[in-house]
Amino acid sequence: MAEIRYLAPRTLDEAVGAFAAAQGAARILAGGTDLLVQMRNGLAKPGLIVDIKKIAEMTEIAELPDGGFRIGAAVSGAMLAEHPRFGQVWPGVLEAVNLIGSKQVQGRASPGGNLCNASPAGDSVPAMIAAGAVVTVQGPEGRRQMPVEAVPAGPGRTNLRPGEIVVGFTLPPRPAGSGDAYLRMIPRTEMDIAVVGLGVSLTLAGGTVTHARVGLGAVAPTVLLVEEAGNALLGSRLEEAALDAAAAACRAACRPINDKRGTIAYRTKVAGVLLKRAVAIAAQRAQGGN
Amino acid sequence: MTDLSPPAAFLAAGPDQPRRNPSGMGAALRHDSALKHATGEARFLDDLPEPPGLLHAALALSPVAHGRLAPLDPAPARAVPGVVAVLLPGDIPGRNDIAAAGTNEVMLADGLVEHAGQPLAVVVGTTRDAALAGAAALRPEIAPLPPVLCIEEAIAREAWVLPPQAITRGDPCAALAAAPRRLSGEFRAGGQEHFYLEGQIALAVPGEDGEMAVQSSTQHPTEVQHLVARVLGCDHNRVTVTTRRMGGAFGGKESNASWVAACAALAARRTGRPVKLRLPRRVDIAATGKRHPFLYRWTAGFDATGRILALDAIMAADAGHSLDLTGGVIFRAITHALGPCDVPALSVRALACKTNTVSNTAFRGFGGPQGALLIEDVVHRVARAAGLPPEQVRERNFAGGGNGSETPYGQPLEGDLIRRVWAEARADADWDARRAEVAAFNAQHPYLRRGLGSMVLAFGISFGQMHMNQAGALVHVYADGSIRLNHGGTEMGQGLFIKVAQVVASVFGVDVARIAITATSTAEVPNTAPTAASTGSDLNGWAAHAAASAIRARMAEVAAEDWGVAPAEVEFAEDMVRAGGNRAMSFGELAKLATMKRVSLSATGFYRTPDIHWDRAAMRGRPFFYVSYGAAVAEVAVDTLTGEHRCLGAWLVQDCGRSLNPAVDLGQVEGAFIQGLGWLTCEELWWDAEGRLRTLGPATYKIPGSRDVPPVLKVRLLEGAPARSETIFRSKAVGEPPLLLATAVWNALKDAIGTDRLDAPATPERVLMAIRDR
Ligand SMILES: Cc1cc2nc3c(=O)[nH]c(=O)nc-3n(C[C@H](O)[C@H](O)[C@H](O)COP(=O)(O)OP(=O)(O)OC[C@H]3O[C@@H](n4cnc5c(N)ncnc54)[C@H](O)[C@@H]3O)c2cc1C
């Protein structure tokens, strides 16, 4: 194997500097649960590895004064699960992050890695999109923000510019009457990759939907924000007709491929089913159940 | 409590009688390596210290399913730093032929490529990474030919690896015409990857005078010896093959381990240095055979009571590109196509289809599980057509009772045991109450559906190849009374070694701890059969029994002479040797005495299964020494909107005769059931349109996980049913039969969704599509 350099800088500036200077020969290392596997299989051959876990901002979970949350990109699923408040406010996002892999993988895998790996089937991404999360990105030209759904560009590709690192996710404050949920369909009971993944975030006022977002994974080259599905729910009281329309919007958004994990017909059908089920869970949470 | 019964009674019991020894027969001892498996101290081949000067090999595989291969240019691999040699067909000193049963199956493709994943070259390097990089650097030039990728196409072209075989009885055409009702069906069952945890591996060390010492993770050291000798062009006596243990095999290391070892030996011969070949998982899955997929087409005639009067069926197996062990698989499929049932008039034809896929091979059950699906499908469909429960239809057709009690080819079946295992499984599951519960649940749930299914199996024990039913053992007793046991069977985690040690312990009346269990070696016991067909304990147990008995007889004479009693009065029990109530010495003291008296304490034992025969031309005979029975009930829940399903409970009753070791046997039943569950519900091999297998690892190929084990799993060995044939201590084989019990889950899924046809594996997607097509 060729020589690989390893850096674990303490500051973001150092990390960005080294990452940008390597001009594409470097890879960011968060939990490594994608990167190390890819290296072992010869799919990734970085000359430099920049480990971001020593940078404080990358591994912090902060509850913001306005009630929102800021999650460092390299926070592990296990850390997020242990946070006393996060799972109460964003149970759907937490579920999605905690579906990644097994206990062992949870100790390492991060939402930042899940997003930047840009798999169409990344589990945390649809939930983050539904949550309306925004990522903060830092690169040689400074900081910028972009919605989660703008990050993936295609299987294994992102819209990050050369040298840019995802610093963290900002989740908006939660009005009363809000709830979210994530469901995925996998052919076996554990340790599997989604055939369809679907996240929903809702706010209800007096039984009427005042805010709805739907994220849909594993059915297109990137995880999708399905605005039509959210719009179909908006203003409704989650009547059958609204649910049918939202499910139809999800099915229409599917642009899957036939492959070893599932056929087009199957993925499309399941997308509609998951929409209804995830909405039911999110609505129940919004109304104070869990 | 101490056993107070007199030792005489103990000894009087012949080998086919029960003995009461805490560590002998019937003791639920744990696997001899269980603790070492848990702590990691158990050494698998790749854990062994590496010999100095070791080189590593890697295989270059064909990316194309069918085509003309131009002579491979080794230069790109040679250019990789660390690569020492690139071995092509021309480098083989002996024959480029790895056929296990037939002839002319190439080890390295020569001019013609017949499946994607076929080995083209062995690349040898100073490190494994160098060898792998060298293999990846090769650029085979293959002019593609159209591949045959499915069973239907092979049938249309009559492309067989072996002529069709058929079993017939009576006049099925006339019986079909005369039957009150007729029905036809078609379905398919997929293949299965063995997914042994320890992949294929061999280490070959060249010695002087053309010797080659091979350590191999194999079920069949003798065949490794033969193939290595064939490929190297040397006598068998130059090659010694040793196997201490495998990390799982399941049939995947019966014939496939041989060519892996032959590749390592070729590299060792050509370089003059020790060579290890360990296949990476992706290469292992691409290059080694799997369970045969089957396509079934049948027509049955039946009456209103569900009695099946006639059956005309075709079972088409996908053999892949070469024969390998397909002949035996086909044989077992047609001999097991009626399961425990009797059909008076039938024709079952088995086709061995040649396709451009990896050559399919032995897999736990060896065609038996595929055979049994036929009658299960017929029963299910006839039941639906007649408006009867499938269980009632199956019972109506059980062999024995008023029905015929012999298989169409002449093997007797025990109708009483068939009915007993079924009655017990039914009772264990509390069938009627459960049925009512399921109906009540289904009446109220909007989209979940529960289902109940069952299975009854009859599985013949013996190798279909008559000559394979033999075994040898070698036992030494040392001067301190410690015992060394060696036999031709191999340990793959199934617990064979502890069972055979228990046999020997009970012959000598000693604690099993006195016995050293040793690696299988062609140098100690020659000309052995593979450890396969569930026969390991049956064959090797008897062989070891014979060896130990020979030594015990000599020891008894020594004691008798010393004490002035008759040899028949000398008893071996509780690590002591006694006679006449007042004579006693320890087993070790007697061993010492025997060596002082210049009596040999070493013996070989040999066994060949009696009473079996098969007439290939007539397709009749009694090929099985005996038949094992079992029954199962399974309950499932199906999400009818996504097709997801779970097995909620399973109640299994398996006939093991008088179990040699109930702990080991229960483990085998549980494992076989879960492996069968995987085959029938989640393990899917997926080829792309070019014929490349795309499920080459655990991320895409789905073996059951720990959470797929049903929350309620009740496994019981049938009690009070010693084998009626003269098996070792009246035990019965257990390795393969219980895999068929998982068919209950397939049946339960069909019950839950009310469908006629459900192809296996019944993945969520297939279940959902079956609901849609219903
Ligand atoms: C056994 C197993 C099971 C798995 N199961 C699942 C599953 O169920 N669902 C699922 O979605 N995934 C699964 N995965 C994949 C993987 O665990 C997840 O994608 C995980 O979230 C990746 O996070 P990580 O921190 O380990 O990423 P890493 O491997 O460290 O990084 C992944 C990629 O993102 C880049 N990257 C990481 N952080 C940043 C950053 N801050 N800025 C820019 N680029 C960055 C890396 O360079 C790399 O290309 C599984 C993996 C394994 C090994």
Side-chain angles (χ1 to χ4, degrees):
Chain A
M1 264 198 182
E3 289 283 297
I4 302 170
R5 277 196 312 134
Y6 170 85
L7 281 183
R10 303 249 159 210
T11 69
L12 198 50
D13 285 340
E14 274 177 84
V16 169
F19 189 43
Q23 298 196 333
R27 290 295 283 272
I28 299 295
L29 174 76
T33 59
D34 279 315
L35 183 63
L36 298 184
V37 177
Q38 289 160 8
M39 285 170 61
R40 190 62 227 168
N41 287 335
L43 299 173
K45 294 174 179 154
L48 170 71
I49 286 178
V50 181
D51 184 345
I52 53 173
K53 290 192 294 296
K54 299 278 187 312
I55 303 165
E57 192 179 2
M58 289 284 190
T59 55
E60 271 168 13
I61 304 169
E63 200 166 351
L64 305 175
D66 66 359
F69 276 90
R70 232 196 55 82
I71 304 167
V75 163
S76 70
M79 283 167 67
L80 205 57
E82 281 160 16
H83 191 275
R85 288 261 308 142
F86 183 80
Q88 290 171 5
V89 182
W90 293 103
V93 172
L94 182 63
E95 260 161 17
V97 173
N98 284 171
L99 272 175
I100 298 172
S102 56
K103 269 267 181 288
Q104 294 90 325
V105 170
Q106 280 294 306
R108 287 275 166 184
S110 66
N114 200 227
L115 179 63
C116 296
N117 189 56
S119 157
D123 275 310
S124 70
V125 185
M128 287 286 195
I129 290 177
V134 169
V135 291
T136 302
V137 171
Q138 185 155 330
E141 269 110 67
R143 277 199 177 208
R144 63 178 180 129
Q145 297 207 312
M146 59 206 284
V148 167
E149 58 272 22
V151 175
R157 291 183 297 115
T158 68
N159 291 316
L160 298 179
R161 296 181 194 135
E164 276 187 336
I165 300 177
V166 172
V167 182
F169 298 80
T170 307
L171 282 80
R174 267 325 231 172
S178 299
D180 73 335
Y182 175 76
L183 288 178
R184 73 172 177 182
M185 161 63 211
I186 55 170
R188 70 180 161 203
T189 46
E190 60 191 322
M191 287 291 287
D192 206 348
I193 296 168
V195 167
V196 182
L198 190 141
V200 175
S201 174
L202 295 177
T203 304
L204 298 175
T208 300
V209 177
T210 59
H211 172 86
R213 275 171 74 91
V214 175
L216 184 56
V219 295
T222 62
V223 182
L224 305 171
L225 167 67
V226 190
E227 279 172 289
E228 298 75 9
N231 291 342
L233 299 174
L234 206 59
S236 79
R237 303 181 67 82
L238 300 177
E239 306 84 352
E240 205 54 40
L243 292 171
D244 283 342
C250 286
R251 286 196 296 268
C254 292
R255 281 174 284 126
I257 49 168
N258 275 326
D259 77 354
K260 53 203 174 258
R261 300 190 197 280
T263 60
I264 294 172
Y266 183 64
R267 289 178 194 251
T268 307
K269 185 162 177 8
V270 169
V273 175
L274 290 195
L275 179 279
K276 291 189 183 182
R277 291 187 182 169
V279 166
I281 298 168
Q284 197 188 5
R285 286 173 177 165
Q287 286 155 341
N290 48 36
Chain B
M1 223 177 85
T2 329
D3 182 4
L4 297 175
S5 60
F10 181 106
L11 244 195
D16 52 345
Q17 297 297 310
R19 286 160 183 274
R20 301 175 61 200
N21 181 330
S23 74
M25 299 334 308
L29 300 186
R30 67 171 159 238
H31 189 288
D32 50 284
S33 298
L35 280 178
K36 290 188 289 177
H37 288 157
T39 60
E41 285 166 280
R43 285 179 176 192
F44 294 86
L45 224 169
D46 209 32
D47 302 326
L48 298 177
E50 296 186 337
L54 178 73
L55 298 174
H56 297 265
L59 301 178
L61 305 183
S62 169
V64 170
H66 193 200
R68 300 247 159 249
L69 172 69
L72 201 56
D73 175 12
R78 288 233 177 88
V80 172
V83 168
V84 173
V86 179
L87 303 173
L88 300 171
D91 297 303
I92 295 172
R95 274 162 52 204
N96 183 15
D97 182 2
I98 52 161
T103 49
N104 292 329
E105 294 174 34
V106 295
M107 181 167 91
L108 298 176
D110 196 359
L112 181 68
V113 161
E114 293 213 274
H115 77 96
Q118 186 171 1
L120 308 176
V122 181
V123 178
V124 192
T126 50
T127 63
R128 189 163 176 270
D129 281 339
L132 288 168
L138 289 170
R139 291 282 164 266
E141 284 174 35
I142 302 171
L145 295 168
V148 175
L149 296 173
C150 67
I151 294 178
E152 284 89 339
E153 198 181 338
I155 295 175
R157 294 176 179 216
E158 302 199 359
W160 320 129
V161 297
L162 157 120
Q165 293 184 24
I167 286 181
T168 52
R169 176 161 70 184
D171 182 346
C173 289
L176 273 178
R181 300 185 62 183
R182 271 171 303 282
L183 193 62
S184 294
E186 173 176 322
F187 70 104
R188 56 177 72 239
Q192 188 176 21
E193 157 61 28
H194 303 84
F195 227 102
Y196 23 64
L197 274 184
E198 178 207 33
Q200 303 274 359
I201 180 168
L203 169 65
V205 182
E208 51 186 280
D209 299 328
E211 284 172 359
M212 188 63 69
V214 179
Q215 305 217 47
S216 165
S217 180
T218 178
Q219 294 171 250
H220 199 349
T222 290
E223 189 185 88
V224 172
Q225 178 194 33
H226 293 181
L227 284 198
V228 167
R230 194 194 294 164
V231 167
L232 298 186
C234 66
D235 290 339
H236 292 172
N237 67 4
R238 298 292 105 181
V239 182
T240 303
V241 180
T242 312
T243 304
R244 172 57 186 90
R245 61 167 65 80
M246 288 162 271
F250 311 114
K253 295 172 181 173
E254 186 173 341
S255 65
N256 279 275
S258 306
W259 64 259
V260 172
C263 286
L266 170 67
R269 171 67 84 240
R270 295 258 71 132
T271 60
R273 288 167 64 175
V275 174
K276 180 150 76 178
L277 173 57
R278 171 167 67 82
L279 302 189
R281 184 64 67 178
R282 293 174 65 83
V283 170
D284 198 317
I285 297 183
T288 66
K290 332 221 160 288
R291 184 188 292 287
H292 291 63
F294 269 62
L295 169 70
Y296 306 76
R297 288 181 182 142
W298 56 263
T299 304
F302 59 100
D303 67 17
T305 69
R307 175 71 175 135
I308 301 164
L309 302 163
L311 178 63
D312 182 12
I314 286 179
M315 295 195 285
D318 185 345
H321 74 98
S322 73
L323 180 62
D324 190 72
L325 302 173
T326 295
V329 169
I330 290 291
F331 170 79
R332 196 163 276 276
I334 39 176
T335 51
H336 286 72
L338 293 185
C341 293
D342 168 65
V343 176
L346 89 164
S347 156
V348 183
R349 248 161 64 85
L351 307 177
C353 301
K354 177 178 165 115
T355 61
N356 291 109
T357 58
V358 66
S359 188
N360 291 315
T361 192
F363 195 131
R364 200 174 198 174
F366 206 64
Q370 293 99 312
L373 290 189
L374 176 66
I375 190 67
E376 286 301 308
D377 195 59
V378 173
V379 161
H380 175 80
R381 293 282 314 282
V382 165
R384 279 173 66 85
L388 299 168
E391 284 66 31
Q392 190 179 323
V393 171
R394 195 196 289 117
E395 272 181 73
R396 176 77 188 81
N397 292 285
F398 275 160
N403 299 330
S405 61
E406 242 184 29
T407 64
Y409 51 92
Q411 178 87 30
L413 292 173
E414 290 138 297
D416 58 331
L417 286 180
I418 292 171
R419 287 167 179 78
R420 230 187 101 191
V421 288
W422 167 233
E424 292 193 13
R426 207 175 181 283
D428 284 359
D430 202 356
W431 178 277
D432 292 328
R434 195 163 297 284
R435 182 42 92 196
E437 228 175 79
V438 164
F441 177 89
N442 289 346
Q444 57 83 29
H445 201 282
Y447 61 86
L448 290 184
R449 287 291 170 272
R450 291 198 177 166
L452 267 191
S454 64
M455 174 65 183
V456 179
L457 73 88
F459 196 90
I461 303 296
S462 287
F463 283 102
Q465 292 286 332
M466 295 301 124
H467 72 85
M468 288 169 118
N469 294 291
Q470 59 169 308
L474 175 62
V475 174
H476 306 318
V477 175
Y478 292 99
D480 64 351
S482 62
I483 299 166
R484 184 180 193 279
L485 167 63
N486 196 275
H487 54 79
T490 56
E491 177 63 49
M492 56 195 92
Q494 87 279 41
L496 172 65
F497 282 9
I498 186 69
K499 283 172 136 187
V500 179
Q502 284 174 266
V503 169
V504 171
S506 66
V507 171
F508 287 122
V510 299
D511 193 283
V512 78
R514 195 181 275 275
I515 298 168
I517 283 170
T518 56
T520 316
S521 167
T522 55
E524 298 200 45
V525 176
N527 309 328
T528 54
T531 305
S534 308
T535 59
S537 321
D538 286 18
L539 298 177
N540 295 290
W542 266 129
H545 188 274
S549 299
I551 299 172
R552 190 188 64 179
R554 292 179 214 150
M555 291 176 80
E557 277 183 30
V558 171
E561 192 187 309
D562 198 49
W563 290 333
V565 301
E569 287 177 63
V570 179
E571 297 156 2
F572 292 72
E574 297 159 341
D575 289 274
M576 295 293 292
V577 185
R578 299 189 179 88
N582 56 357
R583 306 281 198 174
M585 71 178 116
S586 71
F587 185 79
E589 284 165 341
L590 178 55
K592 180 84 192 294
L593 183 62
T595 60
M596 297 310 289
K597 302 232 164 173
R598 297 185 292 172
V599 169
S600 163
L601 294 183
S602 173
T604 60
F606 185 77
Y607 175 72
R608 59 168 171 263
T609 314
D611 302 336
I612 50 175
H613 52 90
W614 183 248
D615 178 341
R616 264 172 203 263
M619 293 294 278
R620 281 191 63 81
R622 188 191 153 184
F624 305 116
F625 189 35
Y626 62 89
V627 178
S628 282
Y629 303 93
V633 170
E635 180 175 351
V636 300
V638 177
D639 181 331
T640 56
L641 298 180
T642 64
E644 289 164 288
H645 52 79
R646 291 238 39 202
C647 180
L648 303 174
W651 296 263
L652 319 180
V653 175
Q654 178 64 42
D655 161 29
C656 295
R658 187 181 286 132
S659 170
L660 292 177
N661 181 328
V664 164
D665 286 356
L666 280 173
Q668 286 291 296
V669 179
E670 287 175 1
F673 176 78
I674 300 301
Q675 195 162 38
L677 183 83
W679 169 51
L680 290 168
T681 67
C682 62
E683 295 184 38
E684 182 163 36
L685 296 160
W686 196 87
W687 282 268
D688 65 18
E690 283 77 48
R692 287 169 304 196
L693 184 60
R694 301 304 290 269
T695 46
L696 296 175
T700 47
Y701 185 75
K702 294 167 190 189
I703 58 171
S706 52
R707 276 186 240 176
D708 294 309
V709 175
V712 177
L713 178 58
K714 300 276 189 230
V715 183
R716 221 156 50 67
L717 305 183
L718 186 69
E719 280 169 27
R724 292 166 189 167
S725 297
E726 207 177 306
T727 60
I728 185 78
F729 295 107
R730 302 284 170 180
S731 65
K732 281 186 169 184
V734 69
E736 295 167 297
L739 189 131
L740 281 68
L741 296 176
T743 310
V745 177
W746 184 58
N747 285 335
L749 287 170
K750 288 190 282 190
D751 179 61
I753 63 178
T755 181
D756 268 350
R757 174 172 174 169
L758 181 61
D759 289 350
T763 57
E765 170 152 2
R766 269 210 192 91
V767 167
L768 191 65
M769 296 310 164
I771 293 171
R772 202 193 50 188
D773 297 343
R774 178 168 61 174

